[in-house]
Structure formats: structure tokens, C-alpha cells
Amino acid sequence: MTEKFILALDQGTTSSRAILFNQAGEIHYSYQQEFPQYFPETGWVEHDAEQIWSSILSCIATVLADKHIDASQIAGIGITNQRETTVIWDKNTGKPIYNAIVWQSRQTADICEELKTNGYNDLFRDKTGLLIDAYFSGTKVKWILDNVAGAREKADNGDLLFGTIDTWLIWKLTNGKVHVTDYSNASRTLMYNIYDLQWDAELLDILNVPKSMLPEVKGSSELYGHTDPTCFFGGEVPIAGAAGDQQAALFGQTCFEEGMVKNTYGTGCFMLMNTGSKAVKSKNGLLTTLAWGIDGKVTYALEGSIFVAGSAIQWLRDGMRMIKDSADSELYASRVDSTEGVYVVPAFVGLGTPYWDSEVRGAVFGLTRGTTKEHFIRATLESLCYQTNDVLGAMEADSGIPFKTLRVDGGAVANNFLMQFQSDLLNVPVDRPVINETTALGAAYLAGLAVGFWQSKEEIAAYWKLDHQFEPEMAEVTRKSNYEGWKKAVMAAQIFK
């Protein structure tokens, strides 16, 4: 009998990936392709949505060709994506009217400030679980409609469609037949009521966004449509799962029980806690969001967002040219016993949870004549852990649930120094799974459940396997002193504007 697979399409901030998973939830084959980043002005980050689509097609073609797999062997497709990144296209031509505005981009900061000045912050928070911030899709949609010639008129005439990247890819894969998103992605737009589970007319009116542009919101694990043969190498394959990258990682880490937590170390760093059927309203700068929707029921989560994580290591490599390869950061950081009081605050695009300060910029403190490259690199790595500790404190305060362990994933978790320091700082075990591609795995699981490739969440949970558990080793006095220094550094960075 011909072996069947689930194909996960993982569309990230700097690259796209296609990964084949077998029945045991193991990676059969994967292929990754980077695509260009565009920075038209300071603080702006954009992508070409057509280049994203081309990269996805290239990844699919390579995976199928390299392993001699026919489209008929793909039982289903699951999609996971960089969230909030906004695409608007003409439904008649299929062409985007502007570059995709990336989640990191700050070009709508003025719109956000105006909304806050007009007193809308609590209204948006109460309906969406989010803060008014340039991070989310709603103000990006408004910016494009306000700044692209003719866009507002086309939108009012019903000729434009909006989508986060999942929506764009599903639309392209089905050759324009299906315009949908899932609960997790909709909950990141600043336009979706996470309690009523519908696009919110009042918020759309404030942002001046026509409802006709918006995709239909569906569950995270159900049949959305089939690939058009012209878009998928002759095959009509079910597209049956979708979730934003961080929610997909929570699912891939099998954090199905209330109180379970994962942290993803990617371009940014994102910690999510499953809060079950209850939407916990944060008093400490966390976001309340939808984790997923399955079988007609939604699961909520608390989320802490750190804007700069793995990209800080890329900065050491590409910007500062201190290392030739990202993996070298572990070697250099391990050569010194501490940073000798050096702190790096990597606020390149502001600070997320719990500060939500879009104006603060990156800073370095504690330099002396004795500071070396090793100290600087170590301080940059440690900044990821300090920011995670900030989020942990907020999450424990909001949920009332003390942490017992942290499940981790993302590219940076291969760095043993980073993971050990994280465990030391949090004072809880950090669990790294065998399969680190948990974002793609979550998308695969969601699709596989919908098409019967897997039968239940219990079956999936049994596939999770531990690679290494990092246990805390740091003395309490050192832990406290280090973290106090970090808080001072953040405070000083916020003053310098």
C-alpha cells in the first residue's frame, strides 16, 4: 500500500517551508526557502506576497520531486503562518495592491496613537483581547486603504479582499475559490470579537474597513476546500487545517490541558498558556487570544509577545558581524562565566509584553574597557531569557497557575547555553522535544484530525517525546541580582527616547 503523508506549509517571517509528516508524527522530508525582506523606511517591514506564494510553490514542488511523491499520497494540507501580516488584493485580478505589511512593521504607529487618543483602547481590548498596537492587522488594513491610490473606492465597491497569510495561501491554492481564515488568525486582526466569534461591526466602523473584504472565519481543523489541479501539480488535495504560527506550536507541543505552556524562540519569542474554555482577561500586559477551534468548540490562550529574539542573533551575525554563523553564538557565550554586568536590551522595534512601548529602541548598558565580544554575545543571548522571564511573571499573575515546566521550540532552542540560562532564570525545568518543528507539526495535526489521518488528540499526545530536560542550577541570589539588573536596563532604555 502506498504510504500517505500530511503536508504542512509553514510560512514564516523570513522563509517558507514544506514539511511531510508520516503517521507517527515524524518528519519524512522538508525543504525551506528564504525570501526577500523590504524596509522602505525606518521601522517599516514589508514582504512581496507574490514572492511568498512563489516560495511556497517552490517548496511544495521540491518536496514532492525529491521524494518522488505523487499528489495522491498527500492526505491533507495544514497551513501555519506568520500572524498579523496583512495582504490586500484585487479579487478580479488576483494581484496584491501593495506589499504585505509584516507583523513587525511600525508604519501604522500614528494610526494607533490616534485611536488611543480618541479613547478606544479599552473598547478594542474588551472585544478582541488585544491592545491597540501597530503589531496587529486592523491598522495595517486601514493604512493600505488610506495610502494606496484608489484603494478606498475599490474596497467600498467590494473589489478588494483582505487576508492574513493563511487566507492568501488558501485563496491561491484553490485558485481563488475559497476566502477563509481560522479562529486563531482572526483573533489577531484587531477586528474580530473573540467572545461573540464574529467580525465586530463597531470596530470595523472605527477603522473604516468594509466587511466585504473580510474572509469567512472557520474552525482550525476542518475541510476548507481542495487544491486546484493547476496550483498543485495536477492534484486535488484537501486543505484541512490552519492556525497562526504560535497557536500551531501550542497544538504541536500537545499542550491540550489547561495551564500547559510553550515558548517559541523564532524571529520573535512567544509564550502561550492554554486557558481552556475560559478567556482570561489580563491585568499585566498579556494578550487574550483564541488558541484554536475544533469540533465546534474554541480554546483560549494567554500570550506574551517578544518582538526580537532570534533576530537579535541574526543581528550579531549580519549587522554587527561578530559571528559567522548563528550557532557560533553558543560557543562565544560559553567562553565567559558571565556578562560582567553588560545588558543588551534588543528593542529594535519597541518592546512587547509586558511593556508595550513602541517608542523605545535598542540599548546596551554596563560596558567597560574589559568588555569583550564574548560578553556582548552572551548578553544578547541572555536578553531572550530575561524577556521570557518578564512574560512568565505576567502569566503567573494573571492565570493564578504556577509554572511547573516550560516546553520550548523554535530555531534557537538548539542553543544549549540559551536553554540552560532560561531554566536557571525561570527556576523551572525547560523541556526540549525531539521534534523541534512543532509549528509545522501543529498544522499537520490539525489537518490530519480533520481528514481522519489521526483519530484523536489523545493519539497525538502520545507522539510527543522529550529530547532533553534542562534543570535550574543557578543560585537564588544570582538569579535575583541578574534579573534586577535587567529591569534597570529596560527602565533606562525607556527613558532614552
Side-chain angles (χ1 to χ4, degrees):
M1 183 176 167
T2 306
E3 187 176 7
K4 293 221 169 205
F5 304 94
I6 294 291
L7 175 66
L9 302 179
D10 183 355
Q11 205 300 295
T13 308
T14 57
S15 67
S16 298
R17 284 180 293 182
I19 303 179
L20 288 170
F21 288 94
N22 64 19
Q23 193 80 47
E26 299 165 336
I27 294 174
H28 182 70
Y29 193 65
S30 70
Y31 182 75
Q32 179 173 350
Q33 182 173 308
E34 293 189 351
F35 56 88
Q37 313 287 304
Y38 299 100
F39 310 98
E41 295 188 27
T42 302
W44 295 24
V45 188
E46 296 178 354
H47 294 156
D48 182 331
E50 293 283 17
Q51 289 178 337
I52 288 176
W53 168 237
S54 296
S55 71
I56 284 287
L57 275 183
S58 176
C59 289
I60 294 170
T62 303
V63 164
L64 297 183
D66 284 2
K67 299 304 286 186
H68 306 290
I69 287 172
D70 187 80
S72 63
Q73 291 177 256
I74 308 298
I77 295 172
I79 295 173
T80 184
N81 55 287
Q82 50 166 318
R83 303 171 304 170
E84 299 98 16
T85 296
T86 296
V87 186
I88 296 179
W89 65 97
D90 187 313
K91 73 178 183 183
N92 303 306
T93 65
K95 299 296 183 183
I97 66 168
Y98 187 76
N99 278 343
I101 300 181
V102 181
W103 59 273
Q104 294 169 308
S105 188
R106 309 306 300 174
Q107 70 208 73
T108 66
D110 289 345
I111 296 173
C112 294
E113 287 309 309
E114 185 179 350
L115 290 170
K116 291 176 190 174
T117 300
N118 291 335
Y120 288 128
N121 209 32
D122 288 345
L123 178 69
F124 276 85
R125 184 65 183 260
D126 290 343
K127 288 173 177 276
T128 68
L130 310 174
L131 302 167
I132 293 176
D133 192 87
Y135 179 26
F136 306 109
S137 311
T139 59
K140 301 178 193 296
V141 177
K142 177 174 171 55
W143 189 95
I144 292 174
L145 295 183
D146 288 346
N147 287 275
V148 175
R152 179 68 64 186
E153 183 181 357
K154 279 189 173 184
D156 290 339
N157 290 338
D159 292 327
L160 297 184
L161 297 177
F162 153 73
T164 41
I165 297 297
D166 58 309
T167 302
W168 168 244
L169 293 181
I170 293 170
W171 196 84
K172 294 291 281 185
L173 285 166
T174 61
N175 202 17
K177 295 183 184 71
V178 180
H179 184 224
V180 299
T181 190
D182 90 298
Y183 287 121
S184 70
N185 277 296
S187 74
R188 312 295 296 188
T189 63
L190 211 62
M191 299 182 286
Y192 191 72
N193 191 310
I194 64 171
Y195 306 99
D196 297 342
L197 302 181
Q198 61 186 8
W199 298 112
D200 193 280
E202 185 178 9
L203 301 184
L204 294 177
D205 185 56
I206 292 168
L207 292 168
N208 200 9
V209 174
K211 191 176 180 183
S212 60
M213 297 179 64
L214 307 179
E216 181 182 358
V217 183
K218 299 236 179 198
S220 310
S221 179
E222 65 175 89
L223 180 64
Y224 307 125
H226 292 78
T227 58
D228 188 279
T230 62
C231 302
F232 202 81
F233 312 100
E236 294 187 47
V237 179
I239 305 170
D245 52 9
Q246 303 312 321
Q247 289 94 328
L250 190 69
F251 202 86
Q253 287 275 31
T254 67
C255 292
F256 301 144
E257 302 299 319
E258 188 176 334
M260 292 185 76
V261 184
K262 72 88 199 172
N263 198 28
T264 298
Y265 300 75
T267 305
C269 213
F270 300 90
M271 184 185 286
L272 268 72
M273 171 187 278
N274 182 333
T275 62
S277 59
K278 182 185 178 187
V280 177
K281 293 187 177 183
S282 176
K283 297 177 181 176
N284 295 281
L286 295 171
L287 306 174
T288 305
T289 197
L290 286 164
W292 52 73
I294 299 178
D295 298 329
K297 297 179 181 177
V298 296
T299 296
Y300 291 91
L302 276 174
E303 175 177 324
S305 309
I306 297 165
F307 296 151
V308 174
S311 55
I313 303 172
Q314 292 173 332
W315 169 68
L316 289 176
R317 182 192 68 194
D318 303 334
M320 302 301 289
R321 295 194 285 276
M322 287 189 173
I323 52 177
K324 290 183 178 179
D325 187 88
S326 295
D328 294 340
S329 62
E330 178 177 356
L331 175 66
Y332 282 105
S334 300
R335 287 178 178 169
V336 289
D337 293 332
S338 75
T339 67
E340 296 293 339
V342 175
Y343 288 89
V344 172
V345 181
F348 304 144
V349 290
L351 288 172
T353 309
Y355 308 102
W356 293 104
D357 186 339
S358 62
E359 299 299 319
V360 64
R361 289 295 175 261
V364 183
F365 298 98
L367 297 177
T368 68
R369 183 64 181 82
T371 300
T372 64
K373 178 167 77 170
E374 285 80 2
H375 294 119
F376 197 96
I377 291 170
R378 179 172 176 134
T380 304
L381 289 182
E382 287 185 1
S383 74
L384 277 63
C385 303
Y386 287 124
Q387 291 177 95
T388 299
N389 202 41
D390 289 337
V391 177
L392 164 76
M395 208 165 268
E396 284 189 325
D398 278 336
S399 68
I401 303 172
F403 272 57
K404 293 180 181 176
T405 186
L406 178 67
R407 289 188 172 184
V408 297
D409 54 73
V413 302
N415 188 313
N416 291 320
F417 167 81
L418 183 70
M419 292 298 97
Q420 183 58 56
F421 192 82
Q422 187 70 86
S423 176
D424 287 342
L425 201 61
L426 297 179
N427 201 28
V428 297
V430 168
D431 288 351
R432 183 172 65 196
V434 170
I435 295 181
N436 183 35
E437 299 288 354
T438 55
T439 300
L441 183 58
Y445 281 157
L446 288 165
L449 286 171
V451 299
F453 194 78
W454 293 292
Q455 301 306 312
S456 67
K457 289 191 286 187
E458 289 73 24
E459 177 190 354
I460 288 170
Y463 294 135
W464 191 93
K465 293 183 177 63
L466 179 70
D467 168 58
H468 187 83
Q469 184 174 71
F470 296 86
E471 297 272 5
E473 298 172 351
M474 185 179 287
E476 178 63 29
V477 64
T478 305
R479 180 184 303 113
K480 186 176 179 182
S481 173
N482 286 350
Y483 189 54
E484 284 176 354
W486 164 257
K487 298 297 280 187
K488 287 180 188 174
V490 171
M491 192 181 304
Q494 287 181 295
I495 292 170
F496 185 79
K497 291 182 183 176

PDB file of all heavy atoms in Angstrom, residues 67-82:
ATOM      1  N   LYS A  67      11.343  13.413  -3.187  1.00  0.00           N
ATOM      2  CA  LYS A  67      10.959  12.125  -2.574  1.00  0.00           C
ATOM      3  C   LYS A  67      10.058  11.301  -3.504  1.00  0.00           C
ATOM      4  O   LYS A  67       9.505  10.270  -3.090  1.00  0.00           O
ATOM      5  CB  LYS A  67      10.245  12.379  -1.244  1.00  0.00           C
ATOM      6  CG  LYS A  67      11.087  13.102  -0.212  1.00  0.00           C
ATOM      7  CD  LYS A  67      12.406  12.405   0.087  1.00  0.00           C
ATOM      8  CE  LYS A  67      12.250  11.151   0.919  1.00  0.00           C
ATOM      9  NZ  LYS A  67      13.570  10.586   1.299  1.00  0.00           N
ATOM     10  N   HIS A  68       9.914  11.761  -4.752  1.00  0.00           N
ATOM     11  CA  HIS A  68       9.114  11.033  -5.757  1.00  0.00           C
ATOM     12  C   HIS A  68       7.719  10.727  -5.234  1.00  0.00           C
ATOM     13  O   HIS A  68       7.218   9.601  -5.326  1.00  0.00           O
ATOM     14  CB  HIS A  68       9.821   9.729  -6.167  1.00  0.00           C
ATOM     15  CG  HIS A  68      11.233   9.948  -6.626  1.00  0.00           C
ATOM     16  ND1 HIS A  68      11.548  10.570  -7.816  1.00  0.00           N
ATOM     17  CD2 HIS A  68      12.418   9.650  -6.021  1.00  0.00           C
ATOM     18  CE1 HIS A  68      12.871  10.644  -7.935  1.00  0.00           C
ATOM     19  NE2 HIS A  68      13.422  10.098  -6.869  1.00  0.00           N
ATOM     20  N   ILE A  69       7.101  11.749  -4.672  1.00  0.00           N
ATOM     21  CA  ILE A  69       5.763  11.593  -4.088  1.00  0.00           C
ATOM     22  C   ILE A  69       4.733  12.225  -5.008  1.00  0.00           C
ATOM     23  O   ILE A  69       4.911  13.348  -5.494  1.00  0.00           O
ATOM     24  CB  ILE A  69       5.721  12.230  -2.685  1.00  0.00           C
ATOM     25  CG1 ILE A  69       6.498  11.348  -1.705  1.00  0.00           C
ATOM     26  CG2 ILE A  69       4.289  12.420  -2.192  1.00  0.00           C
ATOM     27  CD1 ILE A  69       6.699  11.961  -0.348  1.00  0.00           C
ATOM     28  N   ASP A  70       3.676  11.494  -5.234  1.00  0.00           N
ATOM     29  CA  ASP A  70       2.576  11.973  -6.054  1.00  0.00           C
ATOM     30  C   ASP A  70       1.584  12.731  -5.179  1.00  0.00           C
ATOM     31  O   ASP A  70       1.456  12.453  -3.984  1.00  0.00           O
ATOM     32  CB  ASP A  70       1.882  10.775  -6.721  1.00  0.00           C
ATOM     33  CG  ASP A  70       0.842  11.214  -7.726  1.00  0.00           C
ATOM     34  OD1 ASP A  70       1.207  11.574  -8.852  1.00  0.00           O
ATOM     35  OD2 ASP A  70      -0.358  11.201  -7.364  1.00  0.00           O
ATOM     36  N   ALA A  71       0.882  13.679  -5.780  1.00  0.00           N
ATOM     37  CA  ALA A  71      -0.103  14.460  -5.023  1.00  0.00           C
ATOM     38  C   ALA A  71      -1.146  13.567  -4.371  1.00  0.00           C
ATOM     39  O   ALA A  71      -1.698  13.905  -3.317  1.00  0.00           O
ATOM     40  CB  ALA A  71      -0.778  15.474  -5.937  1.00  0.00           C
ATOM     41  N   SER A  72      -1.409  12.406  -4.971  1.00  0.00           N
ATOM     42  CA  SER A  72      -2.408  11.486  -4.415  1.00  0.00           C
ATOM     43  C   SER A  72      -1.976  10.891  -3.079  1.00  0.00           C
ATOM     44  O   SER A  72      -2.800  10.354  -2.337  1.00  0.00           O
ATOM     45  CB  SER A  72      -2.693  10.355  -5.401  1.00  0.00           C
ATOM     46  OG  SER A  72      -1.516   9.588  -5.618  1.00  0.00           O
ATOM     47  N   GLN A  73      -0.675  10.999  -2.755  1.00  0.00           N
ATOM     48  CA  GLN A  73      -0.180  10.482  -1.475  1.00  0.00           C
ATOM     49  C   GLN A  73      -0.330  11.500  -0.341  1.00  0.00           C
ATOM     50  O   GLN A  73      -0.055  11.176   0.808  1.00  0.00           O
ATOM     51  CB  GLN A  73       1.297  10.084  -1.594  1.00  0.00           C
ATOM     52  CG  GLN A  73       1.548   8.862  -2.456  1.00  0.00           C
ATOM     53  CD  GLN A  73       3.024   8.587  -2.590  1.00  0.00           C
ATOM     54  OE1 GLN A  73       3.642   8.862  -3.613  1.00  0.00           O
ATOM     55  NE2 GLN A  73       3.618   8.056  -1.522  1.00  0.00           N
ATOM     56  N   ILE A  74      -0.756  12.721  -0.670  1.00  0.00           N
ATOM     57  CA  ILE A  74      -0.957  13.740   0.358  1.00  0.00           C
ATOM     58  C   ILE A  74      -2.395  13.649   0.853  1.00  0.00           C
ATOM     59  O   ILE A  74      -3.337  13.966   0.137  1.00  0.00           O
ATOM     60  CB  ILE A  74      -0.677  15.154  -0.192  1.00  0.00           C
ATOM     61  CG1 ILE A  74       0.708  15.212  -0.861  1.00  0.00           C
ATOM     62  CG2 ILE A  74      -0.785  16.178   0.929  1.00  0.00           C
ATOM     63  CD1 ILE A  74       1.866  14.919   0.070  1.00  0.00           C
ATOM     64  N   ALA A  75      -2.551  13.192   2.097  1.00  0.00           N
ATOM     65  CA  ALA A  75      -3.893  13.008   2.670  1.00  0.00           C
ATOM     66  C   ALA A  75      -4.553  14.336   3.002  1.00  0.00           C
ATOM     67  O   ALA A  75      -5.780  14.444   3.038  1.00  0.00           O
ATOM     68  CB  ALA A  75      -3.812  12.137   3.918  1.00  0.00           C
ATOM     69  N   GLY A  76      -3.736  15.340   3.265  1.00  0.00           N
ATOM     70  CA  GLY A  76      -4.281  16.650   3.596  1.00  0.00           C
ATOM     71  C   GLY A  76      -3.166  17.667   3.757  1.00  0.00           C
ATOM     72  O   GLY A  76      -1.995  17.303   3.939  1.00  0.00           O
ATOM     73  N   ILE A  77      -3.544  18.936   3.678  1.00  0.00           N
ATOM     74  CA  ILE A  77      -2.591  20.039   3.837  1.00  0.00           C
ATOM     75  C   ILE A  77      -2.991  20.871   5.051  1.00  0.00           C
ATOM     76  O   ILE A  77      -4.162  21.229   5.208  1.00  0.00           O
ATOM     77  CB  ILE A  77      -2.582  20.949   2.589  1.00  0.00           C
ATOM     78  CG1 ILE A  77      -2.067  20.181   1.370  1.00  0.00           C
ATOM     79  CG2 ILE A  77      -1.726  22.196   2.832  1.00  0.00           C
ATOM     80  CD1 ILE A  77      -2.210  20.950   0.070  1.00  0.00           C
ATOM     81  N   GLY A  78      -2.007  21.155   5.905  1.00  0.00           N
ATOM     82  CA  GLY A  78      -2.194  22.066   7.027  1.00  0.00           C
ATOM     83  C   GLY A  78      -1.316  23.291   6.820  1.00  0.00           C
ATOM     84  O   GLY A  78      -0.168  23.163   6.374  1.00  0.00           O
ATOM     85  N   ILE A  79      -1.856  24.454   7.116  1.00  0.00           N
ATOM     86  CA  ILE A  79      -1.121  25.706   6.896  1.00  0.00           C
ATOM     87  C   ILE A  79      -0.920  26.437   8.223  1.00  0.00           C
ATOM     88  O   ILE A  79      -1.857  26.573   9.013  1.00  0.00           O
ATOM     89  CB  ILE A  79      -1.881  26.625   5.919  1.00  0.00           C
ATOM     90  CG1 ILE A  79      -1.943  25.970   4.528  1.00  0.00           C
ATOM     91  CG2 ILE A  79      -1.223  28.005   5.829  1.00  0.00           C
ATOM     92  CD1 ILE A  79      -2.811  26.714   3.536  1.00  0.00           C
ATOM     93  N   THR A  80       0.304  26.867   8.447  1.00  0.00           N
ATOM     94  CA  THR A  80       0.583  27.740   9.588  1.00  0.00           C
ATOM     95  C   THR A  80       1.386  28.919   9.067  1.00  0.00           C
ATOM     96  O   THR A  80       2.092  28.809   8.069  1.00  0.00           O
ATOM     97  CB  THR A  80       1.322  27.005  10.717  1.00  0.00           C
ATOM     98  OG1 THR A  80       1.479  27.899  11.832  1.00  0.00           O
ATOM     99  CG2 THR A  80       2.689  26.506  10.281  1.00  0.00           C
ATOM    100  N   ASN A  81       1.258  30.044   9.726  1.00  0.00           N
ATOM    101  CA  ASN A  81       1.749  31.273   9.119  1.00  0.00           C
ATOM    102  C   ASN A  81       2.186  32.312  10.138  1.00  0.00           C
ATOM    103  O   ASN A  81       1.745  32.310  11.281  1.00  0.00           O
ATOM    104  CB  ASN A  81       0.633  31.886   8.262  1.00  0.00           C
ATOM    105  CG  ASN A  81      -0.652  32.102   9.061  1.00  0.00           C
ATOM    106  OD1 ASN A  81      -1.362  31.149   9.388  1.00  0.00           O
ATOM    107  ND2 ASN A  81      -0.968  33.346   9.385  1.00  0.00           N
ATOM    108  N   GLN A  82       3.082  33.209   9.664  1.00  0.00           N
ATOM    109  CA  GLN A  82       3.380  34.425  10.415  1.00  0.00           C
ATOM    110  C   GLN A  82       2.055  35.167  10.577  1.00  0.00           C
ATOM    111  O   GLN A  82       1.357  35.430   9.608  1.00  0.00           O
ATOM    112  CB  GLN A  82       4.404  35.273   9.675  1.00  0.00           C
ATOM    113  CG  GLN A  82       4.083  35.527   8.205  1.00  0.00           C
ATOM    114  CD  GLN A  82       4.929  36.620   7.598  1.00  0.00           C
ATOM    115  OE1 GLN A  82       5.172  37.661   8.207  1.00  0.00           O
ATOM    116  NE2 GLN A  82       5.376  36.411   6.371  1.00  0.00           N
TER     117      GLN A  82
END
